[in-house]
Structure formats: structure tokens, C-alpha cells
Amino acid sequence: MLESQLQAKCIKYAQEQGWIVLKIISCNMNGISDLILFKDGLTIFIEMKTEKGRVAPLQLYRQKQLREKGFKYEICRSLDEFKSLLI
């Protein structure tokens, strides 16, 4: 499955569960996650990758940076994994 197909399925699922989903296409901060989800005062940053997709060093840096600020930042490779992140 292509990353774009996985993203679309995950976005649809999150919206059905009441999350507001922001898909980042371009921003001033390189390496930021693909998706940012909001619900009930929670914010989750999610970087989508296929099973074989590689996480860039800058993405790992952003993960560390945001986690140090108290945010949840996950790398997700499947719809099942994505669903478990929203529980």
C-alpha cells in the first residue's frame, strides 16, 4: 500500500472517531510529522510510513524535540497501529 493510501485510510478513521486531523503538506518546519490530530485537549503528531519506509534523521530529531515538550509523537506503519495510537 502506498503511503498516501495509508494516510487517507487513517485520516478517515480518525475523523470518524471525532478527531480533527491536520495533514501537513508544506510548512516552515522541515521534518514535521505528516499528520497532527486534535481531540479533547489532546494533540498527537503522527509520521506515516509504509512498512519499508525510512524515517529521516530530521524526522527523528523533530520526534525527540516534540516529545521533550510533552507531546505525543509516533511513527505509524499500518491502519491497525494507527488505531491503537488513538486509544
Side-chain angles (χ1 to χ4, degrees):
M1 178 182 313
L2 295 173
E3 185 176 309
S4 59
Q5 294 170 318
L6 176 59
Q7 262 188 31
K9 288 180 180 193
C10 291
I11 290 170
K12 182 178 182 214
Y13 175 79
Q15 290 172 332
E16 289 170 350
Q17 301 305 307
W19 290 84
I20 295 170
V21 181
L22 178 63
K23 179 180 177 194
I24 303 298
I25 297 169
S26 176
C27 74
N28 65 326
M29 184 181 286
N30 292 336
I32 198 68
S33 63
D34 295 315
L35 304 175
I36 305 175
L37 286 71
F38 308 95
K39 182 180 176 183
D40 300 330
L42 300 174
T43 302
I44 305 174
F45 293 82
I46 300 180
E47 176 62 34
M48 303 299 301
K49 293 291 180 191
T50 62
E51 287 296 324
K52 294 181 182 181
R54 294 181 54 195
V55 181
L58 183 55
Q59 292 171 322
L60 292 173
Y61 170 78
R62 292 290 179 220
Q63 180 184 48
K64 180 179 181 284
Q65 182 184 45
L66 287 164
R67 283 182 171 176
E68 286 176 351
K69 299 290 184 189
F71 290 99
K72 186 173 182 179
Y73 187 118
E74 303 295 337
I75 297 166
C76 181
R77 297 181 181 277
S78 71
L79 181 57
D80 287 337
E81 187 177 351
F82 182 85
K83 288 178 179 181
S84 71
L85 295 175
L86 302 187
I87 296 173

